[in-house]
Amino acid sequence: MRTERAAVTVLGLGSMGSALAAALLAKGHPTTVWNRSAHKAEALAERGAAVAATPAEAVAAGPLVLACVLDHPALHTVLDPVAGSLAGKTLVNLTSGSPEQAVEAAAWARSHGAGYLDGAIMTTPPGVGSPEVMFLYSGAREAFDTHRATLTALGDPLHLGTDPGLASLYDAGLLGLMWATLTGWLHGTALVGTEGTPATAFTPVAIRWLHTVHTFLATYAPQVDAGHYPGDDATVDVQIAAIDHLLHAAAARGIDNALPELLKATMERARDAGHGAGSYASVIEVLKGAVGAADSAGATSTAAGAR
Ligand code: NAP
């Protein structure tokens, strides 16, 4: 069995880039680092990193180049001058961006003879290196397979597909899920807080509730794929009645109700399109923009078929 670890280059040593390099060093990978502001490499040098004076020197150090800078314009600022030396190497871009930027970066890398993986880091810097944390990748499967063992040093690597934009697309969707969940939790925390319940008391109950909510996702995903929403657990009509209790309790206590009002309005649009007797999963028809006045007959028949 091989015990030596593959060499890795990390470009960008902000909060996240430094965590990536530290995780690689902790797993024994010879790691070469570069950052625009050189002082950020000092702590990593003490842990054994080789510090490159220029991006060119860093890229020359090995076959795998991880980049994690602020955004895609910064990525090009760093990489454009060294594009000629990327041939035969694999660029793993962990800089956040849009799916379109990922597709553009993949084409740019390909035009310079480099393999390309786009990545999304599903944690904050302290989580890097944990085997439970997901790192989402998309792009060339061969590049992923070649470097998978090295990428495992950062977290659990998931390859989503060869379209380079997929990791960014999942990232955007998952961040939306996170913000909606966190804001819902904070709304509930504010609500019970008006009666003196501290967040630390409410949160364990909220976490248990999330365990139940996640089973709803598993139930509803096949319904979404089938476009068929049997309301045999709880209907949209029932949810609309229930959310009024939340709106009332929060308004009576002076809590901002923008989030539940938006949720109620969205449910009402699903109901108005004929999904009142369908499950909550039917709300996706509103989100997809598929429910318009002209389309409501079809939507109604879907909901009716569900009854
Ligand atoms: P950060 O601490 O602000 O670091 C930004 C990095 O980008 C620094 O290395 C900075 O260099 C470099 N940079 C910015 N503009 C540059 C330019 N024009 N030329 C060269 N280098 C430039 O940010 P971060 O938290 O590490 O985030 C880096 C990336 O990871 C972002 O795309 C972010 O969305 C993504 N990400 C972060 C997290 C997180 O929790 N932090 C989670 C997931 C994904 P200097 O040090 O010289 O300023």
Side-chain angles (χ1 to χ4, degrees):
M1 252 183 88
R2 284 184 58 194
T3 50
E4 76 271 23
R5 305 285 187 190
V8 190
T9 291
V10 179
L11 300 173
L13 302 175
S15 308
M16 187 50 87
S18 292
L20 299 173
L24 290 161
L25 288 165
K27 299 277 169 35
H29 289 274
T31 305
T32 300
V33 298
W34 174 86
N35 192 58
R36 179 181 64 174
S37 306
H39 69 275
K40 291 187 185 170
E42 287 165 13
L44 292 160
E46 283 170 19
R47 298 161 87 160
V51 180
T54 62
E57 192 182 317
V59 168
L64 179 61
V65 178
L66 267 53
C68 187
V69 291
L70 183 63
D71 53 18
H72 275 248
L75 183 72
H76 277 294
T77 300
V78 174
L79 287 179
D80 283 356
V82 297
S85 53
L86 282 171
K89 299 180 187 291
T90 298
L91 173 63
V92 177
N93 177 33
L94 294 163
T95 303
S96 299
S98 69
E100 289 72 24
Q101 286 176 318
V103 169
E104 181 276 331
W108 178 89
R110 198 180 320 113
S111 74
H112 294 289
Y116 183 88
L117 285 173
D118 207 79
I121 305 167
M122 303 314 297
T123 187
T124 52
V128 173
S130 162
E132 288 84 40
V133 164
M134 292 188 297
F135 274 63
L136 308 180
Y137 296 99
S138 53
R141 178 81 215 191
E142 191 191 348
F144 179 77
D145 289 340
T146 301
H147 298 291
R148 181 183 197 137
T150 303
L151 298 175
T152 301
L154 307 175
D156 184 18
L158 270 67
H159 188 259
L160 302 173
T162 54
D163 174 349
L166 279 174
S168 292
L169 196 62
Y170 271 60
D171 188 33
L174 292 172
L175 288 173
L177 170 64
M178 178 188 76
W179 290 317
T181 305
L182 285 177
T183 309
W185 164 67
L186 290 169
H187 187 268
T189 300
L191 180 63
V192 300
T194 60
E195 305 289 344
T197 300
T200 45
F202 177 63
T203 298
V205 181
I207 289 172
R208 282 193 62 179
W209 175 229
L210 283 175
H211 284 300
T212 300
V213 171
H214 102 255
T215 68
F216 300 162
L217 271 59
T219 299
Y220 290 154
Q223 295 185 14
V224 169
D225 286 344
H228 180 67
Y229 312 106
D232 49 12
D233 51 356
T235 64
V236 169
D237 284 340
V238 166
Q239 307 277 15
I240 290 170
I243 203 166
D244 275 337
H245 304 312
L246 170 60
L247 286 162
H248 171 81
R253 288 161 180 78
I255 299 299
D256 184 283
N257 260 339
L259 177 66
E261 278 163 2
L262 170 69
L263 298 174
K264 184 182 178 190
T266 309
M267 290 180 215
E268 287 175 336
R269 286 166 62 202
R271 178 201 62 199
D272 294 348
H275 294 295
S279 75
Y280 197 85
S282 65
V283 168
I284 197 166
E285 296 295 340
V286 174
L287 304 180
K288 286 194 298 190
V291 175
D295 198 34
S296 60
T300 303
S301 70
T302 305
R307 281 195 277 270

